[in-house]
Amino acid sequence: MNGHRQLTIGLFGFGVVGEGLYKVLEQTPSLHATIKKVCIKNPGKKRNAPAALFTTNKSELLDDPEINVIVEVINESEPAFEIVSTALKNGKAVVSASKKMIAEHLTEILDLQKKYDQPFLCESAACASIPVIRNLEEYYDNDLLHSIRAIVNGSTNYILTKMFEDKIDFKQALIQAQQLGFAEADPSLDIEGWDALNKWTFLLTHAYGIVGKPEDIVFNGIQNIKLSDAAVAHEKNYEIKLVAQAKKLNNGKVAAFVLPQFVTHDDPLAFVKNEFNGVVIESSFADKQFFYGKGAGSFPTASAVLSDISALRYGYRYEYKKLYYHTPPVLTNDFFVRVYLSFDDWKRIPREKFEWIEEWHAGERKYLTGVIHFNHLKNDSWWKENNVSLILTPDTIIEDIEIRKLKKKSLELAGIMD
Ligand code: HSE
């Protein structure tokens, strides 16, 4: 695509993001981008745009030679993939916000981009207004990137903030997130961690060149977190956040997961409230960087779509340098984590699986902190069931080489060894 060429857009979807984009484009004539047609599912719904703009026939967009960009912001994953594949095959550039579709079809989307030599941009699919994908693509070399920790789901962060700071109950906070347009059509995707998992799956590709599947990554949402957990967090001077993280271990492999975590008050992620998202990147020479911005909602998401559209005018595309020009690291579950667990019944906790237990509190709602091999989380589900709540501690990852030393020390402390 030539620089400064007029962009004629075919837009799929006119929900929170689609309508936001329409309004934002109307206010940005300098972009030389116009929406020619909008394909929608339900023609009966009242829309805030001229009726002539809409169609229910997708080929009016996909087969129109004048349309050179397809912007796809629909909810359903499989129809979204169908649209993206056809658009790329038909020689059109694509901008997509469908995180679930991208995570589930990552390999195919990479192949389609190569085969049809067309750009596929998806900045809005992760962290909305924060340009995290372009940053990971362009700025950091794989070898230099030590770790990324991020809050990538606005709804769960909004709910946690409302519950623990404004003392609003879970259901009420969720209703607010839905009314504000942050939540997914099926909010269990947010609450149970699926949305964050999907985003993390393809962010790992841009960060490290890892092309994985969502099912490769251990995850949970915030559905099991109790007010009593918040009380413990408060006592220890922590906050609870749903954190997606990836860390390069000493053996060069990458540990990656999406789980609730206690964060200290000096952690930049503690500063991220409501629907905001945040990303903390640690690299060899830059040290620590923090990106912060709105991660959900109509205009913040539309702003990222707009930025992709603008980038297309200059022929921008992802090069996937870490995937194609380097040997990407592999994911590993061979490390240990320090966790906090709260539960009703001690019998539900397989204590033999712990390397050691550091803290133990009885009472109606019991809790412990201890160290466990990550494989026990990958292969079992007891920690997600039976009213058990698992929260990672701040410096959660313990590598193999450290474990013996720490084990000896903890046994000494327990008075078992001299
Ligand atoms: N439901 C998503 C969130 C929307 O809450 O983050 C933005 O991807």
Side-chain angles (χ1 to χ4, degrees), residues 16-36:
V16 171
V17 183
E19 190 177 342
L21 177 69
Y22 175 74
K23 288 187 188 152
V24 161
L25 270 178
E26 270 192 322
Q27 291 168 29
T28 327
S30 58
L31 264 185
H32 301 287
T34 46
I35 298 178
K36 185 173 178 191

Side-chain angles (χ1 to χ4, degrees), residues 64-358:
D64 181 343
E66 220 180 83
I67 289 178
N68 49 14
V69 181
I70 292 294
V71 176
E72 172 283 303
V73 291
I74 67 171
N75 262 325
E76 302 84 5
S77 179
E78 288 316 306
F81 181 60
E82 182 76 35
I83 291 163
V84 167
S85 323
T86 313
L88 292 171
K89 271 182 209 153
N90 291 358
K92 301 182 192 306
V94 174
V95 176
S96 168
S98 296
K99 46 265 166 109
K100 187 165 182 281
M101 179 276 287
I102 301 168
E104 286 168 354
H105 292 282
L106 201 47
T107 315
E108 291 141 291
I109 293 172
L110 287 167
D111 289 347
L112 285 164
Q113 285 171 81
K114 261 204 211 158
K115 191 165 170 199
Y116 298 106
D117 195 23
Q118 286 299 325
F120 170 88
L121 303 182
C122 57
E123 192 60 74
S124 61
C127 298
S129 69
I130 309 176
V132 61
I133 295 182
R134 256 184 266 169
N135 260 301
L136 291 171
E137 272 290 320
E138 306 307 331
Y139 193 83
Y140 305 96
D141 190 278
N142 171 10
D143 290 338
L144 305 179
L145 196 63
H146 290 322
S147 70
I148 327 175
R149 296 173 61 250
I151 292 172
V152 296
N153 181 271
S155 300
T156 45
N157 203 52
Y158 183 88
I159 293 169
L160 289 174
T161 309
K162 293 291 163 203
M163 278 174 73
F164 300 145
E165 289 191 10
D166 303 345
K167 311 290 173 213
I168 292 175
D169 76 47
F170 189 102
K171 271 205 186 116
Q172 205 52 42
L174 170 60
I175 290 170
Q176 284 183 10
Q178 286 175 307
Q179 284 168 345
L180 291 164
F182 306 150
E184 296 302 297
D186 170 3
S188 63
L189 291 173
D190 295 302
I191 291 159
E192 294 171 14
W194 297 98
D195 181 71
L197 169 72
N198 288 332
K199 290 165 176 166
W200 209 233
T201 305
F202 59 85
L203 283 177
L204 286 175
T205 313
H206 295 287
Y208 288 110
I210 294 171
V211 184
K213 294 197 165 53
E215 54 268 32
D216 299 334
I217 300 171
V218 172
F219 79 104
N220 204 3
I222 61 166
Q223 71 276 19
N224 296 338
I225 295 176
K226 305 271 177 292
L227 280 171
S228 62
D229 299 330
V232 176
H234 188 72
E235 228 171 75
K236 292 176 182 282
N237 214 13
Y238 295 148
E239 302 239 351
I240 302 173
K241 296 286 183 191
L242 182 60
V243 184
Q245 48 192 305
K247 184 179 179 191
K248 209 157 187 198
L249 304 182
N250 285 315
N251 61 14
K253 295 179 181 174
V254 169
F257 41 86
V258 179
L259 291 166
Q261 186 169 30
F262 287 141
V263 299
T264 55
H265 283 285
D266 59 358
D267 182 333
L269 294 184
F271 174 75
V272 180
K273 309 276 183 192
N274 294 314
E275 79 274 27
F276 280 82
N277 284 184
V279 186
V280 179
I281 295 180
E282 287 195 52
S283 59
S284 291
F285 304 112
D287 205 342
K288 197 182 266 189
Q289 289 154 310
F290 176 47
F291 301 86
Y292 171 76
K294 284 195 173 165
S298 182
F299 285 155
T301 314
S303 86
V305 175
L306 192 72
S307 174
D308 279 350
I309 292 172
S310 162
L312 285 176
R313 292 187 62 226
Y314 305 99
Y316 180 74
R317 58 180 65 199
Y318 304 141
E319 284 181 77
Y320 301 98
K321 296 186 200 71
K322 290 140 193 184
L323 173 61
Y324 296 134
Y325 304 148
H326 294 258
T327 307
V330 293
L331 285 178
T332 181
N333 295 310
D334 192 10
F335 57 94
F336 299 84
V337 279
R338 183 176 275 115
V339 301
Y340 156 98
L341 279 179
S342 75
F343 46 90
D344 300 325
D345 186 354
W346 177 237
K347 287 203 266 325
R348 303 286 188 191
I349 308 300
R351 87 179 86 173
E352 71 287 354
K353 296 198 167 150
F354 280 79
E355 295 303 307
W356 67 85
I357 287 172
E358 291 173 345

